[in-house]
Structure formats: structure tokens, C-alpha cells
């Protein structure tokens, strides 16, 4: 068979790839739309799997009637409730009692200052069905309404769960649209082409749809949890990481088109050049995220598979579908700056990175020490981070349930308005009740439902919810009640904090080991791998420090989520290593071609500078989209990761890694063969290396 026939057959490969993607989307498409149906944002979905509070939430489902949706009706007038206000409140609550099945007849509890009247109510009718719960809460809100200066808010765990679910549901659409818009604007600015920007954006959108279908399949096949928080991060990773891979591939393809006449052959060469780095990059992120499976916290453990699905779907699309489309469209997709065969690229865009490399070459030790001191100084700001985030402070805009909780806290300072739930074995429940009432810090305790061998006891603490005094009371109850479980909203916050501390001790070493192993496999060097790992950890510390300087004073946040340290560590270390991989992999290419260590480092910086800077901006911008979301956790996570990516892109990779490589010389490749100076007869002759990023 002649060479022309072989070449003709090879040119059919892009069409085959495109056809396979169309078939895959036709088969998997219907499942992508079902992901929202399996998304769960109940409190238990964000709790530690083994915690007392989780056991309480799950066991309540087994009590007669199932889970109780607990609400607190809060009637408040600033100048004091009038007789008409009290009559109105009583009339509304009586109408409510006639329209829904309440656990027990509610009784109003007036505050000492006369401004507030609260009615604890609840119903078992919704059970564990989230839609039924939301309908019940909204029906209650339709009955009890503010009138004539009398403010009425519906609070309690059930109302807070409904408001939280509404917030999570509202995230999906705006998050996707904002992310697409941000990526589109950046790609237009980067490519300066009316057509080219559309290709990676459309491919990223296809990858996002595919990731939803795969995530749905994992949920049905392996019961992997799907939460609003997890799906939000999955979307960000698909567009952020996927666009990064696209930028690297397109840049290398553009350069190969100047050297190779055939678009198919140019793409094949580009994939061979940048493919290993992209694979290692995505492997690092996926491995880091899968380490979250070791977490006890349900929300963190569920985020691992979802994030991994997002990264791998983005990788698959950018290494198969994107090349196929680009080859089929040919050179014209780059119009008006078409990379014609035999042309030379303009050098002006890279002069800034050549200048940066020059400063690192002239004073490598000063640059390295100065950068390290700067990162260390920034990290000190982490000591200014606000304390643990309280449940009512989890939203950037206060929903009705949070307003009710704050009104109660101000009107009833003498005791807690958020009961602690104790589940104790029915046999011996009387003794448990006596022990609870005798516990220091307990204001009152009453028996609730009985059945299935367990008795529910509602405990009111003397101190305010989530205060130090209430925390002591909860811990005392847990220590003194053998065989019982202590739960409720305040206990959940304690368990979240304790479990995050436990998860951090386990997952951080796992992530570091996984990252080091992947780096050593790619770079064949312990020193280079250790260098990249150390600098990304330093970036994480500096990012937390910057967050400590702005979260309270600028954003007005009253706390930080207990899991923010662990989650940002996993993402920043895994994602931050990416740019080090692209830089060091290109440096290794130059070294293998015969370049001296310093020259290899500077050439790597000069040739990867523009494309990696663009990739860093895109990734930072996609995570910055999270700062527009209505949940404090997402805002905090988006800010820290965006800042960290920018630090890594424009400080660490540009100056610190380059200057350290210049200082270390061949030792940066120890113990690999490149760490040894070749003898004159073994020295390889320099070979031309493509000018694009790898």
C-alpha cells in the first residue's frame, strides 16, 4: 500500500473520533439531565459519616412517623408586642394547627423584654422527602405573615434546610452561565480571533454535559453522593482545567503548523509533545481529589469522585474531540492570524518572560530568598482568619430562617433557642432523662417520641447556640450518657470541626505522597519533584494568609468554614503543580536536547510563559466565579484558590522555580541521568525543539 493511501486513511481518524463523540452523547445525553434529580443537600449529606449528630439524624428517620420537620415561628415588634399582635399570632398558629399535622400543640413563649413571641412547631408529614419538606415550610410561611409592623419569620432546622436547598438549587444556572461568559471573554482576548475561541468553549461545554451523565451513573451504580457543592466544583474544574489543557494544546499545534504542512501531522506532533505533561497534570489533580475518599466528612468525600469525573471528562474531550475538530477546520480557524507553513512567530509577546528569566539568571539566590520571604510574610495573615463559621453565617445574604435565628438569639439571651437532641435507649430512658436534667448547663429536658427501641429527648441549654458554654454542655452530655447519641444543629457544628481536623491529618500526607509519585514518574527526579511540591504548599499558606487579611475586614465574614483549609489545600496543591509540570517538562525536553541547565530553565520560561500565564488567568477566573455565589463556603474557597493560582502563575513558576533551577544546575534532575554531566563523546548534539508550551 502506498504512502498516499496510508495518509488518506489517517485523515479519516478525526471524522471517526467526531462520530464516536456524537454516539457517546446520544447514549449518555439523557442521563446528564437527571443529575439534579439525585442531588441531595440535607444536613446529613454534609455531616461526618461516623459522628454522633449523623447517627441522630439517620435514626430519627426510624422513629414513628419518620423525621420531624421542626420549625420555630417568631413574632417580633421592635417597640414591644401589642395585645393585637399576640392575638394575631395566636390566630395564625391556630389556623396552622388546623391545616397541617403538628407533632404537639404549640405554645407561645414570650421573651422577657416583651418584643418577641416564639412558637416551636413541627410535623412528621414531610418525612425524609425534601420536596415535601419544602412544600410544608412554604405552606407554613403562607399562613404566618408579617402585617402592620409585626415581623413574622419562620426559623428552625426545617426552615434552614429549605432555605439552604433553595440556595444550592439557585447556584447551578448562574454558576454555569457566569463561568461560560468569563471563559469566553478570556479566550477572545487571548486568541484575538472571531472563531477560534468558540472551539475550546464548545468542547468544554460538551465535557461538562458528559461529566453530569457520568456522575449520575456513578450515583446509581455506586451510590456516590451528589451535592450542590460538589456539582458546582465539578463544573468549575471542567471549564477551568479543560480550558487550560486546550490552551496548551492549541499553542503547541499553532507552532507545529508553522513547521509542518499537514494539519493532521502537526496535531499528531503537538499531542506527542504536550500530551505527557497534560496527562501528568490531570493525573495529579485526579489523584489529589480521589484522596478525599479517605475523608469521614460526607461532603468532602463526595466531592472527590465528582471533581475527578470533571477533570477526566475535560481531559478526554481536550485530547480527542478538540484535536479532531481543529484538524477538520484546518488553518482557517486561526483567522485573522493564520499560522502559515514556513512562517515565523512574532517575538514581542514573549519579551516580558525573557526579561523575567534574565533577572532570575542574574540574581538567582536573591530572587529565591526574596520570593520565599514574601510568601512566608503573606502566610502570617492566616493567624487573622476569623473563627469557625456558625450555621446562621453560612449565607452571603440572610434568608428568612437565619433572620429568625438572630431575632431569637437577641430576644432570648438567657437560654438557647435551638434544642439539643438526645437519642437514648428506651430501656433506661427515665434514668437518662434525670441525668440530663442534672447536667450542668442544661436549662430543661423533655421526652419526645418513643419507638423502635429509642427515645428522643429534647434538651435546652442555658447558653446561646454554638457558644462556648453550649459546646461544654454538649460534650458533657456525650461523656455522661453511655450508649446514647447527642445531635442537633449545634452538635453538628462541633462534629464538623472535629472531623475536619481528623480528615486533614490523614488526607494531607496522602495528597503529598500521590503528587510526589506522579512528579517523579514524569520528571525522573526527586529534587525537581520535591521543589515543585514545596513551592505549591508555600503558595497555599500564602493564599490562606491573604484570605485572613480580607475575609473579615473586606468581605465582612464572621467565620471560616471548618473544611476550607483541607479543601483549598487539595485543590491548590493538585492544580498548582500543573504549571510546574508544564515548566519542568519543557525544561527536561531542552536538557535532553543538550541545553545547559541554566539555558534550559530560561528557554523553558520564555517558551511556556505566555500560554501558561493565559492558562493561569483562565483557571483563576473560573474559580473566582465562586465568589459571586450566595454561600460563604463557595466564596471563601473560590477566593483562596484563585489567589493561589495567580501567585503560582506569576511568582512561583516565573521566579522561584526558575531561579531555584538555575541555582541547582544539573542537581535539579538528581538522581536521574540528566543530573550527571555527559562526557565529551557522550554529549548529545542540540536539536531544535518546538517553541510552544508543552
Amino acid at each position: 500500500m502506498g504512502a498516499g493511501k496510508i495518509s488518506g486513511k489517517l485523515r479519516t481518524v478525526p471524522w471517526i473520533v467526531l462520530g464516536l463523540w456524537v454516539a457517546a452523547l446520544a447514549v449518555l445525553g439523557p442521563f446528564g439531565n437527571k443529575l439534579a434529580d439525585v442531588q441531595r443537600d440535607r444536613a446529613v449529606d454534609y455531616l461526618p459519616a461516623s459522628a454522633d449528630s449523623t447517627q441522630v439524624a439517620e435514626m430519627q428517620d426510624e422513629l414513628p412517623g419518620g423525621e420531624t420537620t421542626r420549625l420555630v415561628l417568631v413574632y417580633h415588634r421592635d417597640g414591644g408586642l401589642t395585645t393585637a399582635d399576640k392575638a394575631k399570632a395566636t390566630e395564625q398558629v391556630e389556623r396552622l394547627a388546623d391545616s397541617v399535622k403538628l407533632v404537639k400543640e404549640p405554645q407561645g413563649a414570650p421573651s422577657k423584654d416583651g418584643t418577641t413571641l416564639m412558637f416551636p412547631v413541627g410535623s412528621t408529614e414531610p418525612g425524609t422527602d425534601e420536596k415535601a419538606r419544602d412544600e410544608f415550610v412554604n405552606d407554613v410561611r403562607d399562613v404566618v405573615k408579617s402585617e402592620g409592623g409585626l415581623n413574622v419569620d419562620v426559623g428552625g432546622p426545617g426552615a434552614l434546610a429549605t432555605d439552604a436547598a433553595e440556595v444550592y438549587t439557585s447556584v447551578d444556572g448562574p454558576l454555569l452561565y457566569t463561568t461560560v461568559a468569563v471563559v469566553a471573554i478570556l479566550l477572545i482576548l487571548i486568541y484575538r480571533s472571531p472563531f477560534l475561541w468558540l472551539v475550546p468553549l464548545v468542547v468544554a461545554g460538551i465535557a461538562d454535559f458528559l461529566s453530569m451523565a457520568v456522575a449520575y451513573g456513578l450515583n446509581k451504580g455506586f451510590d456516590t453522593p451528589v451535592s450542590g457543592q460538589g456539582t458546582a466544583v465539578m463544573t468549575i474544574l471542567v471549564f477551568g482545567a479543560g480550558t487550560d489543557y486546550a490552551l496548551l494544546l492549541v499553542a503547541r499545534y499553532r507552532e507545529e503548523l508553522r513547521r509542518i504542512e499537514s494539519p493532521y501531522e502537526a496535531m499528531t506532533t503537538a499531542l506527542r509533545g504536550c500530551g505527557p505533561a497534560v496527562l501528568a497534570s490531570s493525573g495529579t489533580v485526579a489523584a489529589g481529589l480521589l484522596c478525599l475518599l479517605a475523608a469521614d466528612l460526607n461532603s468532602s468525600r463526595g466531592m472527590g469522585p465528582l471533581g475527578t469525573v470533571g477533570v477526566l471528562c475535560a481531559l478526554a474531550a481536550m485530547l480527542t474531540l478538540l484535536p479532531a475538530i481543529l484538524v477538520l477546520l484546518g488553518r482557517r480557524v486561526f483567522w485573522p492570524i493564520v499560522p502559515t507553513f514556513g512562517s515565523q512567530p512574532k517575538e514581542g509577546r514573549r519579551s516580558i518572560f525573557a526579561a523575567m528569566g534574565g533577572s532570575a539568571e542574574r540574581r538567582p539566590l536573591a530572587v529565591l530568598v526574596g520570593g520565599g520571604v514574601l510568601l512566608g510574610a503573606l502566610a502570617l495573615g492566616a493567624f487573622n482568619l476569623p473563627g469557625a463559621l456558625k450555621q446562621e453565617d453560612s449565607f452571603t445574604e440572610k434568608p428568612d430562617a437565619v433572620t429568625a435565628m438572630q431575632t431569637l438569639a437577641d430576644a432570648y439571651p438567657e437560654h438557647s433557642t435551638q434544642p439539643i437532641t438526645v437519642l437514648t435507649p428506651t430501656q433506661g430512658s427515665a434514668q437518662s432523662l434525670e441525668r440530663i436534667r442534672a447536667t450542668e448547663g442544661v436549662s430543661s429536658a423533655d421526652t419526645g417520641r418513643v419507638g423502635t427501641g429509642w427515645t428522643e429527648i429534647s434538651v435546652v441549654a442555658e447558653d446561646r447556640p454554638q457558644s462556648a458554654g453550649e459546646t461544654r454542655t454538649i460534650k458533657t452530655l456525650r461523656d455522661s450518657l453511655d450508649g446514647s447519641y447527642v445531635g442537633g444543629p449545634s452538635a453538628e457544628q462541633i462534629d464538623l470541626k472535629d472531623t475536619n481536623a481528623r480528615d486533614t491529618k490523614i488526607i494531607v500526607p496522602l495528597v503529598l505522597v500521590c503528587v510526589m509519585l506522579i512528579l517523579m514518574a514524569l520528571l525522573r527526579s526527586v529534587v525537581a519533584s520535591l521543589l515543585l511540591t514545596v513551592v505549591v504548599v508555600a503558595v497555599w499558606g500564602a493564599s490562606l494568609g491573604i484570605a485572613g487579611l480580607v475575609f473579615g475586614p473586606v468581605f465582612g465574614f464572621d467565620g471560616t468554614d471548618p473544611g476550607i483549609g483541607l479543601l483549598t489545600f487539595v485543590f491548590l496543591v493538585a492544580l498548582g503543580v500543573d504549571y510546574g509540570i508544564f515548566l519542568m517538562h519543557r525544561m527536561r525536553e531542552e536538557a535532553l536536547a543538550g541545553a545547559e541547565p541554566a539555558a534550559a530553565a530560561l528557554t523553558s520560561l520564555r517558551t511556556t510563559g505566555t500560554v501558561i500565564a493565559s492558562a493561569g488567568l483562565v483557571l483563576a477566573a473560573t474559580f473566582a466565579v465562586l465568589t459571586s455565589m450566595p454561600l460563604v463556603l463557595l466564596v471563601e474557597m473560590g477566593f483562596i484558590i484563585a489567589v493561589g493560582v495567580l501567585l503560582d502563575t506569576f511568582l512561583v513558576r516565573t521566579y522561584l522555580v526558575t531561579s531555584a533551577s538555575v541555582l541547582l544546575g544539573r542537581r535539579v534532575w538528581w538522581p536521574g541521568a540528566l543530573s550527571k554531566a555527559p562526557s565529551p563523546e557522550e554529549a548529545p548534539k542540540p536539536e531544535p525543539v518546538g517553541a510552544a508550551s508543552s
Side-chain angles (χ1 to χ4, degrees), residues 408-459:
L408 289 173
D410 293 336
Y412 300 84
E414 69 278 2
H415 64 79
S416 174
T417 54
Q418 188 169 270
I420 302 164
T421 301
V422 176
L423 286 182
T424 189
T426 301
Q427 186 175 3
S429 60
Q431 292 87 341
S432 295
L433 182 60
E434 291 179 7
R435 192 176 297 118
I436 291 171
R437 287 173 173 169
T439 300
E440 183 179 356
V442 171
S443 173
S444 63
D446 296 295
T447 302
R449 294 173 291 168
V450 180
T452 65
W454 293 90
T455 294
E456 182 183 61
I457 300 176
S458 181
V459 182

Side-chain angles (χ1 to χ4, degrees), residues 6 15 83 106 118 185-186 212 267 412 426 458 477 508 533 551 595 601 633 643-644 692:
I6 295 175
W15 287 106
T83 302
M118 71 169 178
I185 291 170
L186 289 174
M212 291 190 291
M267 179 59 74
Y412 300 84
T426 301
S458 181
L477 289 172
V508 166
T533 304
F551 277 180
L633 169 62
V643 167

Side-chain angles (χ1 to χ4, degrees), residues 348-637:
R349 292 173 61 196
R350 294 182 182 142
S351 60
I352 184 173
F353 296 100
M356 290 177 174
S359 64
E361 181 186 23
R362 289 190 301 272
R363 295 178 295 275
L365 183 59
V367 169
L368 185 61
V369 172
V373 170
L374 175 61
L375 290 177
L378 290 173
L380 294 176
F383 292 105
N384 195 49
L385 283 168
L389 190 71
K390 294 183 178 180
Q391 195 175 31
E392 63 265 26
D393 299 324
S394 300
F395 308 93
T396 56
E397 297 180 4
K398 297 176 183 177
D400 191 27
V402 171
T403 302
M405 292 169 66
Q406 293 179 337
T407 301
L408 289 173
D410 293 336
Y412 300 84
E414 69 278 2
H415 64 79
S416 174
T417 54
Q418 188 169 270
I420 302 164
T421 301
V422 176
L423 286 182
T424 189
T426 301
Q427 186 175 3
S429 60
Q431 292 87 341
S432 295
L433 182 60
E434 291 179 7
R435 192 176 297 118
I436 291 171
R437 287 173 173 169
T439 300
E440 183 179 356
V442 171
S443 173
S444 63
D446 296 295
T447 302
R449 294 173 291 168
V450 180
T452 65
W454 293 90
T455 294
E456 182 183 61
I457 300 176
S458 181
V459 182
V460 176
E462 294 176 350
D463 299 284
R464 296 174 66 140
Q466 299 180 43
S467 63
E470 190 198 41
T471 298
R472 284 194 300 270
T473 301
I474 291 172
K475 291 184 176 180
T476 300
L477 289 172
R478 285 179 168 174
D479 292 339
S480 61
L481 296 173
D482 294 333
S484 300
Y485 296 99
V486 180
S490 295
E492 291 170 2
Q493 295 301 110
I494 296 173
D495 291 336
L496 284 173
K497 183 178 179 181
D498 292 344
T499 303
N500 271 300
R502 172 264 178 199
D503 287 348
T504 299
K505 293 177 183 177
I506 294 175
I507 293 173
V508 166
L510 276 178
V511 171
L512 293 176
V513 169
C514 288
V515 167
M516 281 290 294
L517 290 175
I518 293 175
L519 288 175
M520 286 190 289
L522 176 72
L523 302 176
R524 317 290 173 81
S525 166
V526 172
V527 173
S529 302
L530 188 61
L531 170 63
L532 294 182
T533 304
V534 168
V535 294
V536 293
V537 172
V539 164
W540 170 70
S543 303
L544 283 182
I546 294 174
L549 299 177
V550 302
F551 277 180
V554 179
F555 290 176
F557 293 157
D558 294 320
T560 52
D561 189 273
I564 198 68
L566 175 61
L567 292 177
T568 54
F569 177 86
V570 171
F571 281 100
L572 272 181
V573 170
L575 292 169
V577 165
D578 282 7
Y579 302 121
I581 286 175
F582 302 140
L583 181 72
M584 295 297 287
H585 184 260
R586 180 54 189 268
M587 195 184 302
R588 190 170 188 274
E589 277 190 82
E590 296 290 339
L592 287 170
E596 289 299 313
L602 298 176
T603 301
S604 176
L605 174 62
R606 186 181 69 252
T607 55
T608 63
T610 300
V611 67
I612 296 182
S614 301
L617 284 172
V618 169
L619 187 62
T622 52
F623 272 98
V625 169
L626 292 176
T627 62
S628 66
M629 296 297 105
L631 291 164
V632 171
L633 169 62
L634 294 181
V635 174
E636 292 178 342
M637 185 165 67

Side-chain angles (χ1 to χ4, degrees), residues 49-227:
S50 62
D52 263 27
S53 56
T54 310
Q55 300 300 317
V56 169
E58 292 176 345
M59 291 168 64
Q60 281 179 322
D61 297 347
E62 301 175 7
L63 293 175
E67 182 179 349
T68 299
T69 300
R70 299 184 182 279
L71 307 177
V72 180
L73 313 182
V74 182
Y75 292 82
H76 175 82
R77 186 184 289 273
D78 288 336
L81 294 171
T82 64
T83 302
D85 291 338
K86 296 175 183 177
K88 187 68 176 178
T90 302
E91 183 268 331
Q92 287 187 350
V93 174
E94 287 177 351
R95 275 199 291 130
L96 178 65
D98 292 336
S99 60
V100 297
K101 181 181 178 182
L102 301 179
V103 173
K104 59 181 180 180
E105 189 68 24
Q107 294 181 346
S111 63
K112 289 184 178 180
D113 61 6
T115 62
T116 308
L117 186 63
M118 71 169 178
F119 291 85
V121 301
S123 175
T124 58
E125 284 189 344
T128 58
D129 185 272
E130 293 180 50
K131 291 183 179 179
R133 177 203 65 200
D134 297 342
E135 290 176 1
F136 167 69
V137 172
N138 291 327
D139 287 344
V140 171
R141 285 172 170 166
D142 288 340
V143 173
V144 295
K145 296 181 179 179
S146 301
E147 294 179 7
L150 175 64
N151 296 317
V152 185
D153 295 308
V154 180
L160 188 62
T162 292
D163 290 342
E166 183 177 345
V167 168
Y168 276 114
T169 301
S170 68
V171 162
D172 294 341
L175 177 70
L176 178 61
Y177 305 144
T178 307
T179 302
V180 170
V182 167
V183 172
I185 291 170
L186 289 174
L187 287 176
I188 291 171
L189 294 175
I190 291 168
Y191 287 138
R192 293 176 292 173
S193 166
F195 308 112
L196 182 58
W197 65 275
L198 266 173
V199 180
L201 188 64
V202 169
V203 172
I206 292 172
D208 184 49
F209 191 68
L210 175 65
S211 69
M212 291 190 291
V214 175
Y216 176 80
L218 287 177
N219 173 268
K220 288 301 182 182
F222 302 96
D223 199 30
T224 55
V226 177
S227 66

Side-chain angles (χ1 to χ4, degrees), residues 8-23:
K9 283 195 172 185
L10 287 176
R11 289 191 180 93
T12 65
V13 171
W15 287 106
I16 294 173
V17 172
L18 187 61
L20 290 174
W21 270 93
V22 171

